[in-house]
Amino acid sequence: MDLSSKIQNVKFENLFLNASGIHCQTKEELDDLMNNSYSGGMVTKSATSNHRFGNPLPRYHSLPSGSINSMGLPNEGFDFYLDYVTRTEQKKPIILSVAGMSKEEDLELLHQIQDSDYQGLTELNLSCPNVIGKPQMAYDFQGSDIMLNEIFKFFKKPLGIKLPPYFDLVHFDKIASILNQYPLSHVNTINSIGNGMWVDIESEKVVLKPKGGFGGIGGAMALPTALANVRALRQRLNSSIDIIGTGGVTTGRDAFAHILCGANMVSIGTQVYEEGLGAFERITSELKEIMNSKGYHSLDDFRGKLKTIE
Ligand SMILES: O=C(O)c1[nH]c(=O)[nH]c(=O)c1I
């Protein structure tokens, strides 16, 4: 039973990653992930130039079937993550995630990566929904196109993009036609579903302090949106662009569905946060069970082979 996968020519022993932001902010968390034998790779918390505390607490809340968060980009600062991904013994591939507070900062961070001796995968987060006053760049189609054009004038290392969910087939067409113009290593879809709201009935109050309670939605309730985005982008993107499917994975069945829709790799956020790193072992064994019962030996046997109803 082979659960290995690849992003471009980077091989992962198994298809599972943490979703950026989950268990990947501090050295302890990153070392934990590095030593966990059931995730094939790992992604760092999106980094800004400087260390950030992020938004005031409470900024994460578990929901009956998911989560809502308005973390506000808390991170140790770019230099810490660049040092970690360059210096740490790589028991598994790491994806370095960056999220500038502005386009200028995004470009500056990417220049630093280009000029560094880091040779691994980089992911530009164009979809953080929780920085007060900062729109999700990937909802600005023209702005994203202009930015990617500027980036690929100087950035020659593997670069992927973390996308927000889209909800309109024309928007899938638009973003895919932009992304297809650039030599991207991958897209990671989806980020949390931006600016959801949860209400505590007893207190008649929101559950998050920042932004009056608005926050990104993740976990089980995000699965249908995540599957749609993986499927729609797989159908539209050049085959040279790999896809990391993120969103709503709580069981092996959900991971199986992401692969059927076309994902090369699958990242898990809320469920790992709620259950701990043991979720990787559980979901890996559940996926193996399903593959076994269907006579599949590798992910290629069923990747992207979702059937429609004729
Ligand atoms: O609030 C956050 O830190 C955060 N939260 C998310 O749900 N997605 C993101 O990309 C980010 I940068």
Side-chain angles (χ1 to χ4, degrees), residues 230-243:
V230 170
R231 173 70 164 176
L233 287 171
R234 188 64 287 163
Q235 289 175 321
R236 292 165 173 78
L237 290 175
N238 297 337
S239 56
S240 58
I241 302 178
D242 292 323
I243 295 181

Side-chain angles (χ1 to χ4, degrees), residues 11-79:
K11 177 145 189 206
F12 295 75
E13 281 317 303
N14 95 18
L15 69 153
F16 292 115
L17 300 159
N18 64 297
S20 177
I22 303 300
H23 213 101
C24 60
Q25 183 176 333
T26 64
K27 182 179 181 331
E28 293 70 30
E29 289 179 327
L30 290 165
D31 288 346
D32 250 4
L33 275 175
M34 186 66 84
N35 297 320
N36 175 275
S37 45
Y38 286 92
S39 58
M42 53 195 273
V43 189
T44 63
K45 171 67 185 174
S46 295
T48 48
S49 300
N50 305 316
H51 171 277
R52 279 173 60 86
F53 174 80
N55 287 338
L57 282 72
R59 58 193 192 182
Y60 177 96
H61 192 84
S62 300
L63 302 178
S65 50
S67 65
I68 184 169
N69 92 82
S70 187
M71 305 302 285
L73 243 179
N75 73 98
E76 309 298 295
F78 175 74
D79 293 344

Side-chain angles (χ1 to χ4, degrees), residues 27-306:
K27 182 179 181 331
E28 293 70 30
E29 289 179 327
L30 290 165
D31 288 346
D32 250 4
L33 275 175
M34 186 66 84
N35 297 320
N36 175 275
S37 45
Y38 286 92
S39 58
M42 53 195 273
V43 189
T44 63
K45 171 67 185 174
S46 295
T48 48
S49 300
N50 305 316
H51 171 277
R52 279 173 60 86
F53 174 80
N55 287 338
L57 282 72
R59 58 193 192 182
Y60 177 96
H61 192 84
S62 300
L63 302 178
S65 50
S67 65
I68 184 169
N69 92 82
S70 187
M71 305 302 285
L73 243 179
N75 73 98
E76 309 298 295
F78 175 74
D79 293 344
F80 165 79
Y81 297 103
L82 182 61
D83 179 62
Y84 189 91
V85 298
T86 343
R87 185 182 43 74
T88 310
E89 185 222 341
Q90 308 241 329
K91 296 176 187 156
K92 64 182 73 172
I94 311 181
I95 301 176
L96 173 60
S97 175
V98 291
M101 297 293 283
S102 66
K103 173 175 151 182
E104 291 65 35
E105 188 175 340
D106 280 332
L107 296 174
E108 169 51 32
L109 293 171
L110 291 171
H111 268 295
Q112 290 184 51
I113 295 170
Q114 180 58 36
D115 298 343
S116 76
D117 53 14
Y118 176 60
Q119 298 305 324
L121 296 168
T122 298
E123 192 171 280
L124 176 61
N125 183 350
L126 292 183
S127 48
C128 178
N130 301 322
V131 176
I132 295 163
K134 183 176 178 291
Q136 295 179 77
M137 183 61 163
Y139 284 149
D140 173 351
F141 294 111
Q142 191 187 17
S144 297
D145 194 1
I146 291 166
M147 182 168 171
L148 289 168
N149 194 40
E150 286 180 38
I151 288 169
F152 283 103
K153 285 187 177 128
F154 69 87
F155 200 81
K156 304 303 175 194
K157 297 178 175 178
L159 181 69
I161 301 290
K162 181 72 173 283
L163 293 172
Y166 298 95
F167 302 92
D168 183 302
L169 297 190
V170 171
H171 292 171
F172 290 137
D173 295 338
K174 280 187 161 197
I175 192 63
S177 65
I178 290 166
L179 298 177
N180 278 331
Q181 294 166 51
Y182 301 100
L184 292 166
S185 60
H186 69 280
V187 299
N188 187 332
T189 177
I190 61 174
N191 207 317
S192 57
I193 300 168
N195 296 299
M197 173 64 65
W198 192 258
V199 175
D200 179 87
I201 303 306
E202 284 58 43
S203 65
E204 301 177 17
K205 201 181 284 189
V206 299
V207 295
L208 299 180
K209 180 165 182 176
K211 295 172 54 177
F214 289 88
I217 302 297
M221 66 178 92
L223 184 62
T225 296
L227 294 178
N229 278 261
V230 170
R231 173 70 164 176
L233 287 171
R234 188 64 287 163
Q235 289 175 321
R236 292 165 173 78
L237 290 175
N238 297 337
S239 56
S240 58
I241 302 178
D242 292 323
I243 295 181
I244 298 175
T246 304
V249 176
T250 64
T251 66
R253 294 170 66 87
D254 306 333
F256 186 85
H258 266 270
I259 305 293
L260 259 187
C261 289
N264 295 81
M265 310 272 300
V266 172
S267 57
I268 307 171
T270 300
Q271 192 58 33
V272 166
Y273 181 84
E274 298 289 343
E275 182 177 343
L277 297 187
F280 286 117
E281 180 173 6
R282 174 179 62 82
I283 293 171
T284 295
S285 61
E286 288 171 357
L287 177 60
K288 281 181 175 171
E289 270 300 300
I290 295 164
M291 289 171 66
N292 211 15
S293 71
K294 291 167 172 283
Y296 294 137
H297 303 288
S298 80
L299 303 178
D300 287 330
D301 289 347
F302 62 101
R303 177 176 293 116
K305 296 185 176 170
L306 177 66

